[in-house]
Amino acid sequence: MKIYVSGLYAGGNPQPGVGIVRSLRQGFPKATLVGVEYSNRVSGIHFDELDALWIERPWGELDLDAYGEKVRGALDGGGFWISGSDLEAMWLASIFPDGHPNLLAPPMAGIKRITKPVVEAASDLPVRIPTYLSTEHSDWDLHAFCREHNWRVWLKGPYYDASRTPTWDAFTAVRNALSKVWSTEKLFLQAHVSGYEESVMLSAYQGELLGAVSMRKRDITPEGKTWAGDVSEVPPSFLEPLRRMVRDTNWTGGGELEMVRDAANQLWLIEMNPRFPAWVHGATIAGQNLPALLVQAASGVSAQPAPAHSAEFTRVVLEVPVRPDYPLPPLPEPFAGAVGHSMKHPSGLTALAARLHEIDPDMLDVALDPAGSAAPSAAAVLPDSFVADIAAQDFDAMQTPQYIYMDTTAAGLFEQAAARAHRLSTNDVEVISGYSIKTNPDKRLIKLALDHGFYAEAISLGEVQTALEVGFRPDQVILNGPGKWWPQGLMPRERMHAVFCDSIADLDRVVAAVEAGEMSAKHIGIRIRTPNIVSRFGIPLDSPTTFGKLVAAVKRLPANSAFGVHFHMASSHVGVAQWWHLFESMLKWCRSIQTLTGRTIEMLDMGGGWYPDDWHADETAKIAKAVELVRAMLPAVRQIASEPGKAMAQPSMALAMRILEIQEHEEGHVEAVVDASIAEIPMHFWQPHRMVRQCGETGALQPIGRGKTHLMGRLCMEHDIIASNVQLPEGTRAGDLLIFCDAGGYDRSMSYVFGRG
Ligand SMILES: *Cc1c(COP(=O)(O)O)cnc(C)c1O
C-alpha cells in the first residue's frame, strides 16, 4: 500500500502532513508513505517516518497540466493521496471534479459549499456565523461596521490569512496587502467572538462519516494555533447533523470545523477546512485514528486498532537529522511587507491562488451578500444636502486646496440635534448639548450652536473668549480639561454654567479660586477617568486608594454650587456597544460617589467623541433609554449634557482640490498627484472621507469608487498619500476637481500650514 501525503510544513503554524504520516504509520505499519512537497525549505520532508519523497517545483513554476497527469498516474497505479493543504485540495478538485476512488480529498461541489464566511454546508449544525461585511462595500460602511463591533474585527482573505484590524489605518494597510496578494477585492470584515476555541475533526469516504472527534485548545502559540488540547467525543446533537452534512456534500477525506464557544455556551463557526487539522495525531494518541479510518474505508484493508494513551496531548519541538539528498538551503530572503502566514509559505501558495483564479475565476466566488440584495457599491452615496451645498460653490474662482463650508448641511445638523434634545427633555430632567469648540472653532458653527440652544463647551479660556465674542453668555459656558486656566487672566468673573475638574490639583485650584471670588459656576464637578479603558484625563477611581482621594476631594467642593460628574470616552474609538457598556458602569460609579461623599449629582455630562452617523442615526431610542436609566439610578440629576464635536462639525466642511498630474503604471495601477496633502486632510489615517469628482464638462458630481489608484499629496513626503485603492471616474484629467467630504472636524482644525512657500 502506497499513500501520498502533502502539506509537510512544520513551523509554528504547521500543516497536518507530519501528523497524518504518524497516524498512518500507527494504523498501517507496513505501508509506503510518500511525502509530497513543493519546496525543499519545508522541514517536514526530513521526518524519518517518510519512506520516500516527491518534491516538485514551487507552485508558481509548476507545469500544472503535466503535474496533474502525474498525480492521475499515481492514483490510477493504486496509490492513495491525502492532501494537507487547502489550496492543493482545491486544485486537485479542479482536476478531479467528481473525485477519484483513491483521491482522499473532497470533490469540487463539496469545497464550494464550505467557503468562508458563510460555510453554507454547515447550516444544519448547531453553530452560528459571526457577523461579517464584504469589503466590496464602501469605506464609509466598513468604518461603521468597525465602530459597531468596537473595532474588535478581523479582516480575512478568501483562502487564508486573517488579521485583527483595531484601527482604520491598520485596516487600509492590511486590505491593500491582502487584495494585492490574493488578487481580489473580495475580502471580508468579521466581528471577533470572545470565547474558547474548539474544533471538530472529521473523516469521511464518499459521503459516509467514518469518525469525528472534538478538541478544545488548551494551549496556543502566539499566532493562536493549537499547542496542546484535549480530545473528546462529538455529542450526538452535533454528530447527527454532521453526518447529514457529509452525506449532502458527498465528502471524502479529512475536514475540520474551527469554532469559538462564547460565554453563553453558543458555538460560532469561524471556518471549515477541507483537510485534516495539524493536531490530527493528537486525536490518534487519544485512540481516534481518523486518517487510518479513511485509508481503511478506501482500501478495504483493516487498520491496526488505535490504543488510547491519553485524552490530552501537547506538542514538543524535536531536532531531526537532515536528509543527505536534501541539504539545507541558504537562509531565505526576508519577505518585506508580508501579512499573514501563507505569504511567507515557501511553496508559493499565493502563486497557486493566482493560478486557481485563472483556471476557474468562480472557483470560490461566493456572493458575500445575502441572495437578492443589491450588488454592493464601493462608492458612498452623498446625502442630498452635501450635493446641494457643493452645487452652491463657485469653483471656477476658487484657489485649491480650499475648505468649503456646507451651509445647509451644518444648519440641518444643529436643527436636528436641538429638536432631539427638546424631545428628550422632560419637566424634571433637561437634556442639553454643548458644542465642543476645540473640534472646529469656526465662528459660523459656534453661532449655529448659539442659535440652536446649545451651550459652549470650552477647554481653554481662549475658547471661552471666542464663545463670548460670538454671543454666548458666561452662564452658557461649560469649562473642561486640564488646560482650563490658559491663557492666564482670561477667567470670566461671571457665573458660568459648569466647570469640571480634570485632576485633584485642578480641583484644589478651582476651590481656591472660588473662595477668592475669582470664579464661579452653577455646577462644579469632576471628570472621572474611565476605568479599564486607558485615558490620561479625569480623576482616577479604579483602586481603593485613588477612590479614597477622589471622595475626599469632592467633599472639599464649594457647597453653594451644584455637583456634577463628567466622563468622556470617544465611542468612535472604543466602539458604540462598548460605549454604552461604559455608560452603565459610569452610573454605578456615580452612585457610589454620591453615597460616599454625601453630595448629590445634579448634572451628568457624558462628553463627546461620537462619530456623526452614530450620533445622528436613530439613537433617539437609546438615548431615551439612557435618560430613563439616569432617572432611576441618580434621581437627583436635573440636567444631562453631551458635548458633540465632530458629530456636528465633521460633515460641515469639505475639501476641494485639483488633480495636478496622472501617472499610469503597470497592471492598471495609477498615481494621481493632487494639490491637497495630509496637511489639509490629516484625519485620512483615522476615518474615511466620501469623495467625488466634479465632471469637467457637465459639472455633475461623480462618486469615486474603489480601484487601483492612489491619490498622492503635493508634498514631497513619502507618507503624503491621501487616498489609497480608489478609482477615478472615466475621463478624469489633470485640472479636474475632486471633493473630499467629511473634512469639517479635526481635518479642518488640525490642518497645518506646510509646503505652501
Ligand atoms: C474634544 C472634546 C469633546 C468633543 O469630542 P468630539 O470627538 O469632537 O466629539 C467633548 N468634550 C471634551 C471635554 C473634549 O475635550
Side-chain angles (χ1 to χ4, degrees), residues 134-145:
S134 151
T135 59
E136 294 168 294
H137 288 267
S138 70
D139 282 5
W140 196 253
D141 292 343
L142 295 168
H143 193 265
F145 183 90

Side-chain angles (χ1 to χ4, degrees), residues 54 58 109 113 148 247 335 341 367 403 520 548 576 594 610 630 672:
W54 179 351
R113 292 184 58 193
E148 186 185 344
R247 199 174 303 132
F335 179 20
H341 157 78
Y403 292 101
S520 81
V576 177
Q594 258 188 186
W610 296 83
V630 172

Side-chain angles (χ1 to χ4, degrees), residues 329-388:
L331 270 178
E333 296 291 327
F335 179 20
V339 180
H341 157 78
S342 48
M343 286 173 230
K344 292 177 244 163
H345 198 282
S347 66
L349 289 178
T350 59
L352 175 56
R355 298 183 75 178
L356 290 176
H357 256 292
E358 275 166 37
I359 294 171
D360 177 3
D362 298 330
M363 188 176 289
L364 288 176
D365 192 25
V366 283
L368 285 164
D369 285 289
S373 59
S377 164
V381 181
L382 295 195
D384 292 343
S385 77
F386 281 28
V387 177

Side-chain angles (χ1 to χ4, degrees), residues 151-165:
W151 289 97
R152 291 190 191 125
V153 293
W154 293 85
L155 181 56
K156 297 187 176 179
Y159 315 101
Y160 287 109
D161 294 327
S163 194
R164 288 288 286 266
T165 57

Side-chain angles (χ1 to χ4, degrees), residues 210-230:
L210 305 168
V213 296
S214 262
M215 188 279 293
R216 293 188 300 175
K217 295 188 187 182
R218 298 293 297 277
D219 197 6
I220 54 174
T221 68
E223 287 164 301
K225 304 294 165 185
T226 305
W227 192 260
D230 60 33

Side-chain angles (χ1 to χ4, degrees), residues 56 72 108 117 130 149 156 178 268 321 326 371 381 399 451 520 526 551 577 655 657 717 727:
E56 284 287 348
R72 188 184 297 278
M108 187 53 96
H149 296 286
K156 297 187 176 179
L178 288 186
W268 297 84
Y326 289 100
V381 181
Q399 275 279 0
D451 292 345
S520 81
I526 53 168
V551 167
L655 181 70
M657 66 189 76
M717 307 279 286
Q727 174 84 54

Side-chain angles (χ1 to χ4, degrees), residues 231-472:
V231 175
S232 60
E233 305 239 319
V234 179
S237 59
F238 197 104
L239 194 62
E240 287 318 309
L242 185 68
R243 198 183 301 284
R244 286 198 293 275
M245 173 184 141
V246 162
R247 199 174 303 132
D248 289 350
T249 52
N250 196 25
W251 200 263
T252 288
E256 182 195 19
L257 293 129
E258 290 189 54
M259 296 170 289
V260 172
R261 188 182 292 276
D262 71 15
N265 216 22
Q266 172 68 48
L267 279 176
W268 297 84
L269 180 58
I270 306 303
E271 63 182 42
M272 177 167 174
N273 302 314
R275 51 161 174 80
F276 289 115
W279 53 269
V280 53
H281 195 64
T284 301
I285 288 169
Q288 304 255 22
N289 189 340
L290 267 50
L293 289 181
L294 178 59
V295 171
Q296 173 178 292
S299 67
V301 179
S302 294
Q304 299 285 318
H309 298 285
S310 164
E312 297 183 329
F313 66 87
T314 186
R315 288 188 172 150
V316 295
V317 175
L318 293 176
E319 283 73 31
V320 300
V322 162
R323 293 176 189 268
D325 36 350
Y326 289 100
L328 297 175
L331 270 178
E333 296 291 327
F335 179 20
V339 180
H341 157 78
S342 48
M343 286 173 230
K344 292 177 244 163
H345 198 282
S347 66
L349 289 178
T350 59
L352 175 56
R355 298 183 75 178
L356 290 176
H357 256 292
E358 275 166 37
I359 294 171
D360 177 3
D362 298 330
M363 188 176 289
L364 288 176
D365 192 25
V366 283
L368 285 164
D369 285 289
S373 59
S377 164
V381 181
L382 295 195
D384 292 343
S385 77
F386 281 28
V387 177
D389 287 331
I390 292 170
Q393 307 291 326
D394 178 10
F395 290 110
D396 291 339
M398 191 180 287
Q399 275 279 0
T400 50
Q402 179 72 51
Y403 292 101
I404 56 179
Y405 181 64
M406 312 278 271
D407 214 338
T408 64
T409 300
L413 292 173
F414 277 95
E415 250 159 58
Q416 221 177 305
R420 184 169 69 191
H422 181 74
R423 214 168 41 241
L424 291 172
S425 295
T426 59
N427 283 340
D428 49 344
V429 183
E430 189 190 9
V431 175
I432 62 158
S433 307
Y435 175 63
S436 158
I437 295 174
K438 164 194 87 206
T439 309
N440 186 342
D442 190 291
K443 288 193 173 166
R444 289 168 292 191
L445 294 170
I446 301 177
K447 181 72 169 52
L448 279 176
L450 175 65
D451 292 345
H452 288 88
F454 275 53
Y455 286 66
E457 191 275 320
I459 55 157
S460 71
L461 299 179
E463 290 185 359
V464 172
Q465 288 306 309
T466 307
L468 299 180
E469 278 162 29
V470 174
F472 276 96

Side-chain angles (χ1 to χ4, degrees), residues 545-581:
T545 317
T546 55
F547 194 47
K549 285 186 187 162
L550 177 143
V551 167
V554 167
K555 288 180 175 168
R556 297 198 288 275
L557 283 175
N560 57 354
S561 292
F563 178 49
V565 170
H566 171 250
F567 78 97
H568 172 112
M569 178 48 68
S571 77
S572 57
H573 178 64
V574 301
V576 177
Q578 178 150 253
W579 190 92
W580 283 105
H581 186 72

